Amino acid sequence: MEINILEEFFNICDEKVFSCINCGVCSASCPISNFMEITPQKLIFFLINNKKEVLEKNTIWLCASCLNCQARCRKSIDFSKVADALRHIYLKERARKKLSLELEIDKIKREILIKSPQQLFIALQRKFAYY
Amino acid sequence: MKYLYYPGCTLKTTAKVFEDSIKEVSKILDISLVELNNWYCCQAIYTSLNDNPSLLLGAIRNLIETQKEDDKLVTACSACYNVLLRSQNTYFKDEKLRVRINAYLEEELKREIKIIHFFELLEEKIDVLNSLIKKRDYPPLAFYYGCLLTRPKGIALFSNDINPQRFENFFSQLGFLTIDFAFKTRCCGSYLTYTNEEIVKDCVDKIILSIKERVNNSCVILTTCPLCQFNLENYQKDYEVFYFTQFLLSLIKGE
């Protein structure tokens, strides 16, 4: 089944992505955009052109909701909400196809798991879980 | 003064030193903190999807527990502060979502609860603190704010999200040298430490580099957030990282 990414997106998120003027201040202010396969600005551009590929990029998993881009955005678009919604769509698709989740808990280093605050771990799980 | 207090899960376990120091400092300053009845997880991070009211339930339930006794709630963990504040904001702004959230609850949240950060209580007591401090010959202090107390703009504790000054003012009034550095509100990488360690290393490196630009030799990094504290301490060895209350307590004790 082909999914219509824009339709799915607006079902669960009301960020006004169409008001994006593609200025790129989000990509410039993102502290980790150099690790992303496509920058936040490009991701929004792909999304409004209804490209399903946005779900395959690591960008949606790397956004840690620090809101630096939202504070800079001229159009007050909250990219963290866009990423949250796309993650959710991706996980829903996988759940529908009965595939396991992306997150592999076993691969996390044990010493980090023991020392880290559990709030951090819950945050991770919440970003990777399908509700 | 008596305040209701929401500790959150982290302050009870991995950030135990933070809670212990908060309790001791508040005892010394005559602030009585009463732990909230039946508190539980605030749900760790704020996420909002229109079709899913359950994402905000944890925070709202804590606030409902609060409204039974008081209309103020004190918390010290940056993450809890951020989640409680934003969840409440969404609850009162988004009417459709509110109706759906209420369907899960036995009771409604009737009025807005004032969420107070422990730092705000200390600001009021600065004169008392000033007279208590025994040791002042410390290296300069670098205060790392992180993202949770400074954003989203408009509702966060600090109104300036690029160069907040409240902690600097606070500590310079106590007679300490503070330094301004470029990346004091930049993301530390948060939970990516589990999945993409190299990203957190990169983020922490940049933060430390921006501190190094401003100090000659040693300095002390202070923070309010257990998440930032973990990342900053785990991925660099140049500077010590303390919670601000932990630091204050050591000053009062003169250690």
Side-chain angles (χ1 to χ4, degrees):
Chain A
M1 189 188 78
E2 278 297 294
I3 58 165
N4 183 339
I5 184 82
L6 258 184
E7 204 176 287
E8 295 262 339
F9 177 80
F10 283 118
N11 277 341
I12 55 173
C13 180
D14 47 13
E15 275 311 296
K16 295 182 177 60
V17 283
F18 275 103
S19 67
C20 174
I21 52 172
N22 258 288
C23 66
V25 77
C26 46
S27 310
S29 62
C30 179
I32 54 175
S33 61
N34 50 334
F35 291 95
M36 290 173 173
E37 280 162 13
I38 55 171
T39 58
Q41 169 223 3
K42 269 191 194 160
L43 186 118
I44 290 184
F45 185 72
F46 279 26
L47 176 67
I48 55 186
N49 283 298
N50 214 348
K51 299 273 187 244
K52 225 178 84 190
E53 293 92 303
V54 289
L55 295 182
E56 305 300 327
K57 306 293 180 196
N58 71 357
T59 310
I60 55 174
W61 304 99
L62 292 191
C63 173
S65 312
C66 76
L67 301 187
N68 207 3
C69 55
Q70 184 251 11
R72 308 282 157 270
C73 183
R74 293 287 101 203
K75 293 287 180 181
S76 311
I77 298 169
D78 186 346
F79 182 77
S80 74
K81 281 189 183 167
V82 176
D84 275 345
L86 292 176
R87 264 192 280 242
H88 188 77
I89 295 169
Y90 180 88
L91 293 170
K92 198 165 118 188
E93 266 298 289
R94 282 184 83 87
R96 196 178 60 75
K97 290 178 185 160
K98 297 203 169 56
L99 291 168
S100 63
L101 296 182
E102 283 292 89
L103 177 64
E104 289 166 33
I105 305 269
D106 309 337
K107 278 194 181 164
I108 296 172
K109 280 192 193 160
R110 211 176 143 65
E111 73 259 26
I112 292 183
L113 212 49
I114 293 167
K115 271 196 290 174
S116 61
Q118 66 267 59
Q119 189 142 25
L120 209 56
F121 190 63
I122 303 292
L124 170 86
Q125 283 177 319
R126 277 171 50 82
K127 289 290 182 183
F128 282 83
Y130 168 62
Y131 298 93
Chain B
M1 266 298 262
K2 198 181 132 193
Y3 292 97
L4 274 182
Y5 164 63
Y6 176 79
C9 59
T10 313
L11 266 64
K12 289 288 178 195
T13 50
T14 40
K16 194 95 183 78
V17 282
F18 192 17
E19 199 194 26
D20 292 346
S21 59
I22 289 167
K23 280 187 174 158
E24 272 193 65
V25 169
S26 56
K27 206 187 232 172
I28 293 167
L29 292 178
D30 232 355
I31 303 166
S32 119
L33 297 178
V34 184
E35 214 167 282
L36 180 66
N37 275 334
N38 302 324
W39 66 267
Y40 55 88
C41 180
C42 66
Q43 294 190 300
I45 194 160
Y46 175 87
T47 20
S48 154
L49 297 169
N50 288 353
D51 73 335
N52 204 329
S54 69
L55 297 168
L56 305 176
L57 278 181
I60 300 296
R61 282 209 169 113
N62 282 316
L63 295 174
I64 287 172
E65 206 60 54
T66 311
Q67 80 175 359
K68 288 177 189 164
E69 291 175 53
D70 201 357
D71 52 2
K72 280 182 251 151
L73 185 64
V74 175
T75 177
C77 169
S78 298
C80 299
Y81 181 87
N82 183 285
V83 173
L84 291 172
L85 198 71
R86 291 180 74 188
S87 302
Q88 170 163 266
N89 196 47
T90 311
Y91 182 86
F92 284 110
K93 266 196 176 155
D94 192 334
E95 208 163 308
K96 262 196 206 154
L97 201 60
R98 182 166 69 231
V99 174
R100 297 188 58 190
I101 292 172
N102 284 342
Y104 286 83
L105 300 169
E106 303 81 45
E107 213 179 312
E108 272 182 41
L109 183 57
K110 290 181 196 83
R111 55 180 189 271
E112 256 183 71
I113 305 290
K114 192 170 188 297
I115 295 153
I116 304 172
H117 195 275
F118 187 66
F119 171 64
E120 292 177 88
L121 300 183
L122 291 185
E123 271 183 324
E124 288 167 15
K125 298 262 184 182
I126 188 150
D127 298 331
V128 190
L129 260 177
N130 216 342
S131 62
L132 287 172
I133 284 178
K134 293 196 185 102
K135 191 180 170 187
R136 285 175 213 262
D137 53 334
Y138 245 97
L141 312 176
F143 203 91
Y144 177 66
Y145 288 78
C147 54
L148 292 167
L149 288 184
T150 48
R151 289 185 285 267
K153 256 177 160 180
I155 63 166
L157 179 60
F158 303 108
S159 49
N160 184 340
D161 86 306
I162 303 171
N163 186 15
Q165 288 291 333
R166 259 166 86 175
F167 271 105
E168 278 82 350
N169 287 342
F170 180 76
F171 279 101
S172 51
Q173 277 181 55
L174 294 177
F176 291 92
L177 196 62
T178 56
I179 56 162
D180 280 327
F181 57 104
F183 285 172
K184 58 173 139 176
T185 66
R186 190 135 150 157
C187 180
C188 69
S190 182
Y191 58 83
L192 293 174
T193 173
Y194 298 114
T195 52
N196 304 68
E197 235 186 331
E198 73 282 3
I199 295 180
V200 183
K201 274 181 193 149
D202 181 74
C203 290
V204 173
D205 277 353
K206 281 178 184 159
I207 293 163
I208 297 301
L209 204 67
S210 79
I211 294 176
K212 275 190 181 152
E213 277 174 2
R214 305 304 300 264
V215 283
N216 294 327
N217 25 50
S218 67
C219 90
V220 175
I221 304 176
L222 299 181
T223 176
T224 65
C225 176
L227 285 56
C228 302
Q229 203 270 351
F230 170 74
N231 279 340
L232 285 178
E233 199 167 68
N234 207 21
Y235 295 104
Q236 59 88 26
K237 295 281 166 275
D238 299 354
Y239 303 118
E240 281 186 290
V241 188
F242 294 116
Y243 296 111
F244 72 108
T245 48
Q246 196 186 355
F247 181 72
L248 273 177
L249 193 65
S250 72
L251 297 176
I252 293 170
K253 284 182 176 169
E255 282 165 1

